[in-house]
């Protein structure tokens, strides 16, 4: 088993199979989108022909939705996957968020319901509302909230299915009323949701371990084990470096091309999908890619191995670890492709 080439292929980073951003996001199930600008490149680089215009169209029309879901972080999901993922993942996410907030300040149920109603109305009135719009709407009701309290209420609205992403702006996040953005809720059985999540995760991230799946999904170990069990023969195990990895029966193994340099955005699924990242990132250099507080940096991968850093805002390779000078031209070409995409 060559886990690096398999991950590159199944993460759609080499020889991508999809034409549109919504196809990519649907296939990936959920993609962390912490960086508002970089999430566009994370999707674009997985398309056959990256198109910023297609991404914006899919985002604005609601084919792609951005909201808080797994691990209390921003995620991109397809409209098709939105409702069942919300029902499966939001209960734990809400519990964790409430616990975090209660250790700092008490928020009553009365305040929660009142603010939710005001935010929902503001989003409905504006179509795409910014946080500034929310502040103004609350001020009209003589409600003043600091930014942390406001962020909590907005996040709770997202995890309750009241608010989701509005139109794509260059720098500012916007919010829409979910009921106006998406088709009505369609519920599925929880076991069926577990099967979907499990199969989609391992199909797009394989090979991966149980621990990786637990980390990525934010679910309990028992739920993740159950999802694997319910997936039946679709998954099988292979050992590598003393660890048990799961792969799917339809795993991609052909199409890998050597010599490819990739400019990986911060918080990309290539790293953040896994609890253990040593297969592609040498432990002695992991501080170059992320710190212990969960802050991820843009990195360069050569044939899947993380070997340097890059800047999304200026052409600059800050490698310093194990990249030779011969890489300069290849990285320059990759950076031009990225800049061309972001300018469109």
């Amino acid at each position: 088993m060559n886990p690096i080439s398999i991950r590159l292929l199944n993460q759609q980073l080499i020889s991508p199979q999809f034409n549109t951003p919504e196809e990519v996001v649907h296939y990936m199930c959920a993609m962390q989108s912490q960086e508002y600008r970089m999430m566009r490149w994370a999707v674009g680089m997985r398309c056959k022909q990256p198109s910023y215009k297609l991404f914006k169209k899919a985002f604005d029309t609601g084919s792609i939705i951005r909201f808080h879901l797994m691990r209390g972080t921003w995620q991109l999901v397809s409209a098709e996957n939105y409702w069942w993922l919300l029902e499966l993942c939001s209960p734990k996410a809400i519990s964790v968020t409430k616990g975090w907030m209660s250790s700092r300040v008490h928020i009553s149920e009365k305040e929660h319901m009142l603010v939710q109603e005001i935010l929902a109305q503001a989003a409905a009135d504006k179509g795409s509302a910014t946080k500034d719009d929310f502040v103004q709407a609350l001020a009209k009701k003589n409600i003043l909230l600091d930014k942390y309290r406001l962020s909590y209420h907005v996040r709770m609205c997202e995890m309750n299915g009241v608010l989701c992403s509005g139109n794509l702006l260059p720098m500012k996040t916007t919010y829409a009323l979910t009921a106006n953005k998406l088709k009505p809720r369609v519920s599925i059985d929880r076991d069926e949701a577990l099967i979907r999540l499990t199969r989609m995760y391992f199909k797009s991230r394989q090979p991966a371990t149980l621990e990786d799946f637990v980390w990525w999904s934010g679910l309990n170990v028992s739920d993740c084990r159950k999802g694997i069990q319910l997936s039946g023969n679709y998954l099988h195990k292979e050992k590598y470096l003393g660890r048990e990895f799961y792969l799917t029966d339809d795993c991609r193994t052909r199409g890998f091309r050597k010599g490819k340099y990739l400019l990986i955005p911060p918080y990309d699924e290539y790293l953040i999908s896994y609890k253990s990242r040593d297969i592609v990132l040498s432990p002695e250099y992991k501080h170059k890619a992320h710190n212990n507080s969960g802050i991820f940096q843009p990195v360069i991968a050569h044939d899947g191995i993380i070997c340097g850093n890059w800047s999304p805002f200026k052409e600059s390779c800050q490698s310093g670890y194990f990249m030779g000078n011969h890489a300069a031209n290849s990285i320059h070409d990759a950076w031009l492709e990225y800049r061309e995409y972001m300018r469109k």
Side-chain angles (χ1 to χ4, degrees):
M1 178 175 72
N2 183 341
I4 298 174
S5 64
I6 292 174
R7 283 188 181 177
L8 287 170
L9 286 166
N10 288 280
Q11 283 235 9
Q12 304 295 319
L13 290 169
I14 295 289
S15 302
Q17 298 172 299
F18 302 112
N19 294 307
T20 66
E22 48 263 56
E23 288 176 324
V24 169
V25 175
H26 178 74
Y27 167 82
M28 296 294 289
C29 188
M31 300 176 67
Q32 186 156 335
S33 54
Q34 203 77 7
E35 291 280 350
Y36 189 58
R37 295 181 76 245
M38 290 291 95
M39 68 176 181
R40 308 163 207 193
W41 178 237
V43 175
M45 69 187 302
R46 289 174 165 87
C47 294
K48 288 182 181 180
Q49 295 183 331
S51 169
Y52 180 90
K53 289 182 179 179
L54 285 181
F55 181 90
K56 178 171 172 51
K57 180 181 178 181
F59 198 92
D60 289 351
T61 59
S63 296
I64 294 175
I65 297 296
R66 180 178 185 249
F67 70 125
H68 281 92
L69 184 64
M70 299 171 178
R71 308 183 305 276
T73 60
W74 289 103
Q75 306 286 327
L76 287 178
V77 305
S78 68
E80 186 176 345
N81 290 334
Y82 173 86
W83 286 115
W84 68 264
L85 278 171
L86 183 73
E87 291 184 354
L88 179 63
C89 300
S90 65
K92 184 174 180 181
I94 289 172
S95 176
V96 171
T97 303
K98 282 185 175 180
W100 180 86
M101 195 66 179
S102 65
S103 67
R104 290 157 177 78
V105 62
H106 173 70
I107 294 180
S108 67
E109 185 64 17
K110 181 179 179 180
E111 176 184 327
H112 167 71
M113 295 304 297
L114 175 60
V115 173
Q116 177 175 288
E117 181 181 350
I118 295 171
L119 299 187
Q121 188 61 55
D125 292 342
K126 290 284 185 177
S128 284
T130 65
K131 279 194 174 180
D132 289 339
D133 294 324
F134 289 154
V135 169
Q136 293 175 20
L138 290 166
K140 290 179 181 178
K141 302 291 185 179
N142 296 317
I143 299 174
L144 299 178
L145 302 177
D146 62 46
K147 63 179 182 178
Y148 299 106
R149 206 174 186 111
L150 176 60
S151 292
Y152 168 83
H153 283 294
V154 172
R155 186 172 300 194
M156 291 299 291
C157 285
E158 291 177 293
M159 293 186 293
N160 281 316
V162 176
L163 297 178
C164 66
S165 51
N167 290 342
L168 186 70
L169 297 183
M171 298 296 290
K172 281 191 175 184
T173 300
T174 67
Y175 301 87
L177 193 65
T178 306
N180 291 343
K181 192 86 171 182
L182 290 165
K183 293 180 179 178
R185 182 190 301 259
V186 176
S187 298
I188 64 172
D189 178 80
R190 192 172 192 276
D191 283 355
E192 175 60 30
L194 274 176
I195 293 172
R196 287 190 189 182
L197 183 73
T198 304
R199 290 185 173 187
M200 294 179 83
Y201 170 76
F202 284 105
K203 182 178 177 66
S204 57
R205 274 80 171 183
Q206 61 190 321
T209 66
L210 168 64
E211 291 75 19
D212 293 330
F213 183 37
V214 173
W215 150 255
W216 177 82
S217 68
L219 297 176
N220 298 326
V221 176
S222 57
D223 280 333
C224 292
R225 288 188 188 277
K226 186 177 183 181
I228 291 172
Q229 181 183 15
L230 291 172
S231 295
N233 295 330
Y234 182 69
L235 298 176
H236 65 274
K237 294 180 185 178
E238 288 193 28
K239 281 198 171 182
Y240 181 80
L241 297 178
R243 283 177 274 178
E244 286 188 338
F245 289 84
Y246 288 92
L247 295 97
T248 69
D249 286 345
D250 54 358
C251 174
R252 292 183 71 198
T253 58
R254 295 184 179 182
F256 177 71
R257 303 193 313 273
K258 287 187 176 181
K260 181 74 172 179
Y261 283 90
L262 295 169
L263 303 184
I264 308 289
Y267 303 99
D268 189 80
E269 293 296 319
Y270 188 60
L271 284 182
I272 213 160
S273 291
Y274 313 97
K275 183 175 182 180
S276 298
R277 305 175 180 113
D278 55 294
I279 288 177
V280 301
L281 176 62
S282 175
E284 66 179 304
Y285 299 118
K286 68 178 184 180
H287 64 285
K288 298 281 190 176
H290 61 86
N291 63 23
N292 293 332
S293 299
I295 306 299
F296 281 69
Q297 303 299 325
V299 293
I300 303 170
H302 178 227
D303 288 339
I305 298 294
I306 305 303
C307 60
N309 295 101
W310 67 287
S311 170
F313 308 108
K314 61 181 179 179
E315 186 175 1
S316 135
C317 169
Q318 310 150 18
S319 60
Y321 22 134
F322 50 92
M323 181 187 299
N325 292 330
H326 66 281
N329 289 337
S330 297
I331 294 171
H332 173 73
D333 292 342
W335 193 84
L336 289 179
E337 180 184 11
Y338 156 77
R339 288 304 298 167
E340 181 64 21
Y341 172 79
M342 295 301 287
R343 284 195 186 104
K344 292 178 180 178

